[in-house]
């Protein structure tokens, strides 16, 4: 990949990480307000190291390594920083499995938001899906998995990857539902909880949100170093927003519409790529910037009208 291509990928990863982490930043900001100054600094420093280097660095590496059993752990690690042709070819051969699992997870993420989450309708699909259509999420999820398993029936590993992506989504969102309940309890009992308990809660929540960003990153590239750089920069910016003004970002009411719609398209693209279709390398970045940019612009206009 040339320098321009790497820059385009990193730019897309940064934007994707930022808009995908806004909900996490809002929760973080609320909890941080209930912590003393010392523990805020601990979270912002150590939490950043864990979020960037442990989760966003180790997780994509593990996904690549587990998907390509032909190479050893050491070979996979060296491949991050060297140009071994044999290892690169093995990773390229395992790429469809990575893309299938990540794509299914992302598309499920989009469907869950579209059918089950509260939102301000903006794009056509948002307006078409009414709040009482929630039951159709489960029908769409089941039909999606059955369709992909049928299409991939000649490749058992591709079928397994689709099933893993589906299972990962439901496991993670089961955890997140519990986390939301814990969040409500935390609001009621914040004064009774220790700063250390709040710190652990934020770290676990951070890790779960990081999973979305890491899997989404595979829509842009399978290069672990580029994922680490792009997602790492995005995480740094989100931390700054958490400290200095996440409420202002949350005021852009259509921003999540742009983020989630781009996630839906990215999921579709990388599932298609897992079947051998090819798309331009700049397309994921272009889609992300387009949908997020449009949502940001109309949100900004709406905010200006409200201010006037």
């Amino acid at each position: 990949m040339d320098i321009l291509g790497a820059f385009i990928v990193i730019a897309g990863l940064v934007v994707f990480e930022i808009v995908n982490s806004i909900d996490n930043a809002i929760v973080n900001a609320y909890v941080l307000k209930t912590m003393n100054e010392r523990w805020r600094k601990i979270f912002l420093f150590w939490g950043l190291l864990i979020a960037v280097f442990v989760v966003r660095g180790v997780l994509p590496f593990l996904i690549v390594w587990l998907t390509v059993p032909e190479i050893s752990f050491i070979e996979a690690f060296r491949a991050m920083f060297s140009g071994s042709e044999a290892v690169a070819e093995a990773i390229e051969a395992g790429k469809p499995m990575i893309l299938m699992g990540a794509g299914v997870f992302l598309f499920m993420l989009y469907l869950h938001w579209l059918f089950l989450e509260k939102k301000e309708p903006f794009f056509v699909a948002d307006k078409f899906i009414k709040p009482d259509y929630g039951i159709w999420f489960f029908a769409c999820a089941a039909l999606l998995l059955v369709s992909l398993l049928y299409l991939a029936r000649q490749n058992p590993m591709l079928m397994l990857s689709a099933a893993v992506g589906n299972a990962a989504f439901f496991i993670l969102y089961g955890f997140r539902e519990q986390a939301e309940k814990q969040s409500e309890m935390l609001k009621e009992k914040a004064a009774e909880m220790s700063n250390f308990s709040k710190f652990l809660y934020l770290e676990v929540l951070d890790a779960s949100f990081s999973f979305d960003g890491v899997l989404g990153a595979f829509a842009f590239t399978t290069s672990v170093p580029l994922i680490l750089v792009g997602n790492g920069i995005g995480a740094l910016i989100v931390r700054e927003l958490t400290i200095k003004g996440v409420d202002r970002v949350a005021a852009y009411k259509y921003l999540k519409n742009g983020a989630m719609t781009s996630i839906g398209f990215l999921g579709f693209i990388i599932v298609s790529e897992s079947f051998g279709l090819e798309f331009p390398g700049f397309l994921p970045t272009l889609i992300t910037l387009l949908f997020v940019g449009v949502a940001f612009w109309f949100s900004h206009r709406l905010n200006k009208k409200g201010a006037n």
Side-chain angles (χ1 to χ4, degrees):
M1 182 181 292
D2 58 20
I3 295 176
L4 178 60
F7 178 79
I8 291 173
V9 166
I10 289 172
L13 287 170
V14 170
V15 174
F16 181 83
E17 176 67 28
I18 292 170
V19 297
N20 194 50
S21 299
I22 294 302
D23 285 351
N24 188 19
I26 291 170
V27 175
N28 286 353
Y30 174 81
V31 177
L32 283 171
K33 289 176 184 177
T34 69
M35 298 166 71
N36 62 40
E37 189 65 27
R38 175 171 169 265
W39 277 96
R40 287 180 194 174
K41 290 179 179 178
I42 289 173
F43 170 74
L44 293 171
F45 178 73
W46 290 106
L48 183 62
L49 290 182
I50 294 170
V52 173
F53 295 105
V54 177
V55 179
R56 288 167 176 82
V58 174
L59 187 56
F61 163 72
L62 287 176
I63 291 172
V64 170
W65 174 58
L66 291 171
T67 310
V68 189
E70 296 87 0
I71 60 177
S72 68
F73 183 88
I74 299 300
E75 286 177 321
F77 183 77
R78 286 177 181 167
M80 290 172 59
F81 308 102
S82 66
S84 169
E85 289 187 15
V87 174
E89 287 175 4
I91 291 175
E92 187 65 25
K95 187 176 176 180
M97 275 69 79
I98 298 173
L99 296 180
M100 175 61 83
V104 169
F105 182 91
L106 291 180
F107 206 76
M108 292 291 293
L109 197 66
Y110 171 66
L111 290 177
H112 185 276
W113 172 80
L114 189 63
F115 283 97
L116 295 178
E117 295 183 31
K118 291 181 180 179
K119 57 188 166 295
E120 292 289 340
F122 179 60
F123 294 110
V124 174
D126 314 349
K127 294 177 180 178
F128 178 75
I129 303 298
K130 307 298 181 185
D132 58 344
Y133 287 8
I135 188 64
W136 289 102
F137 163 73
F138 301 98
C140 290
L143 289 173
L144 173 67
L145 182 60
V146 169
S147 300
L148 290 176
L149 292 177
Y150 177 77
L151 292 173
R153 63 191 181 280
Q154 304 300 330
N155 188 334
M157 291 304 294
L158 208 57
M159 294 175 70
L160 176 62
S161 182
V164 168
N166 183 274
F169 171 81
F170 281 105
I171 290 170
L172 187 65
Y173 268 79
F175 167 80
R176 286 215 183 142
E177 284 193 5
Q178 288 300 115
E180 286 180 9
K181 293 177 183 177
Q182 291 295 322
S183 181
E184 292 300 318
M185 289 175 59
L186 189 147
K187 290 179 182 180
E188 297 173 4
K189 302 179 179 180
E192 302 172 17
M193 291 180 65
S194 68
N195 285 301
F196 180 67
S197 298
K198 295 172 187 175
F199 172 78
L200 290 179
Y201 169 77
L202 289 177
E203 286 305 318
V204 172
L205 198 64
D206 256 11
S208 75
F209 275 97
S210 299
F211 201 80
D212 296 1
V214 168
L215 288 180
F218 286 112
F220 298 84
T221 180
T222 53
S223 169
V224 175
L226 287 182
I227 291 174
L228 178 58
V229 172
N231 282 7
I233 294 172
L236 281 168
I237 295 172
V238 170
R239 279 297 194 283
E240 284 299 307
L241 290 174
T242 300
I243 301 167
K244 296 180 178 177
V246 72
D247 291 338
R248 288 185 218 164
V249 179
Y252 288 80
K253 62 190 299 183
Y254 299 132
L255 201 56
K256 190 165 184 180
N257 299 64
M260 298 308 298
T261 304
S262 67
I263 283 173
F265 274 93
L266 292 179
F268 174 78
I269 286 173
I270 59 177
V271 166
S272 301
E273 286 183 330
S274 73
F275 285 110
L277 295 178
E278 294 185 5
F279 296 91
F282 62 82
L283 189 60
T285 298
L286 180 63
I287 285 175
T288 303
L289 293 176
L290 176 64
F291 282 105
V292 172
V294 169
F296 178 85
W297 172 249
F298 278 91
S299 298
H300 179 68
R301 288 182 58 187
L302 191 65
N303 289 346
K304 284 186 71 175
K305 286 182 181 178
N308 295 332

